[in-house]
Amino acid sequence: MSVSRRTTRRAATVAALATATVLLAAGAASAHVTVHPDSYAKGATDGVLTFRVPNEEDKAFTTKVQVFLPTDHPVLGVLVHPQDGWTAKVTTTKLKTPVKTDDGTITEAASEITFSGGRIGAGQYEDFNVAFGQLPDDTDRLVFKTLQTYSDGKVARWIEEPTGGDEPENPAPVLKLTAGDASGAPASARTAPATAKAADASDSTARGLGIAGLVVGVLGLAAAAFAIVRGRSARS
């Protein structure tokens, strides 16, 4: 095999690796349905949860979102904020274990919220706001399993619960419940500086991976072009 041919093959390999790096960096930034804030105090009252739903399909739009609320640790007093273009339906269920509150004993609670009639296009997201009267105080987290239906019939099932370590492939939105002030202020508000630093670090890492992939890609393409030119010069 000639030197020019070996050089060209090496350059092509470098370019392929660079492309793979860029694709992996993009995949790492893939979004899923999340709940905001990500933490509240146990037993918090009169707060708001925001479910952020990104559209991950290029050729289809989101037409329905179903959020399932846990009933073993129920969220009480659920109210849905009106959303332009969307219709919200709250389904309630009878609780196996009634909850005693200052206002009496609660025997039913919301088990599902379905948003339909609207659309979320490619590269877009929608925030769905849900107010609550009281969060449970007998658990460390709430898992909101979610189904996202697309216009082509595909259903993204965000239902996997975290078990420690790496994030699951299709994670459900999780709200952490912490000890502290239950007046309704998100627990994350008390740790805003640390959260902001962590978010900045995460964003910087993602940007760094993307830039590194692009740089390697450019170098690979440049090497390939140089090898081709060199090969033609050798033949002439």
Side-chain angles (χ1 to χ4, degrees):
M1 182 183 292
S2 68
V3 174
S4 62
R5 216 176 261 183
R6 284 199 302 271
T7 304
T8 301
R9 182 167 292 182
R10 275 196 207 115
T13 301
V14 171
L17 288 173
T19 301
T21 301
V22 173
L23 291 175
L24 285 173
S30 180
H32 52 268
V33 178
T34 51
V35 61
H36 303 272
D38 62 359
S39 63
Y40 256 107
K42 293 181 178 180
T45 57
D46 301 325
V48 176
L49 298 175
T50 299
F51 293 91
R52 176 160 296 176
V53 182
N55 192 91
E56 294 186 314
E57 295 293 318
D58 294 331
K59 298 181 180 179
F61 45 85
T62 299
T63 58
K64 183 167 69 172
V65 178
Q66 296 165 269
V67 180
F68 296 89
L69 287 68
T71 55
D72 52 347
H73 303 287
V75 178
L76 305 180
V78 168
L79 295 173
V80 180
H81 188 276
Q83 197 85 353
D84 289 344
W86 294 87
T87 298
K89 178 184 177 182
V90 179
T91 301
T92 59
T93 189
K94 200 169 190 64
L95 299 176
K96 292 182 179 179
T97 304
V99 179
K100 293 183 179 180
T101 70
D102 295 338
D103 299 323
T105 300
I106 306 298
T107 59
E108 290 188 348
S111 59
E112 178 185 344
I113 305 174
T114 300
F115 301 94
S116 60
R119 57 186 291 170
I120 308 172
Q124 300 177 342
Y125 71 90
E126 191 81 52
D127 281 345
F128 298 97
N129 295 324
V130 177
F132 62 83
Q134 184 175 337
L135 295 178
D137 59 5
D138 57 351
T139 185
D140 294 327
R141 71 181 184 185
L142 295 176
V143 178
F144 300 97
K145 296 183 179 182
T146 303
L147 301 182
Q148 179 180 8
T149 303
Y150 288 93
S151 56
D152 60 1
K154 176 182 176 180
V155 178
R157 301 171 60 83
W158 307 108
I159 61 173
E160 295 179 12
E161 300 186 29
T163 57
D166 295 336
E167 185 178 69
E169 184 177 354
N170 300 295
V174 176
L175 177 70
K176 296 185 289 290
L177 297 180
T178 64
D181 181 14
S183 62
S188 56
R190 298 191 295 274
T191 57
T195 303
K197 287 181 180 178
D200 289 343
S202 177
D203 290 343
S204 297
T205 301
R207 285 195 296 269
L209 286 171
I211 292 172
L214 291 173
V215 169
V216 174
V218 171
L219 291 176
L221 292 174
F226 175 76
I228 292 171
V229 172
R230 183 175 177 183
R232 288 177 178 174
S233 298
R235 288 194 298 273
S236 61

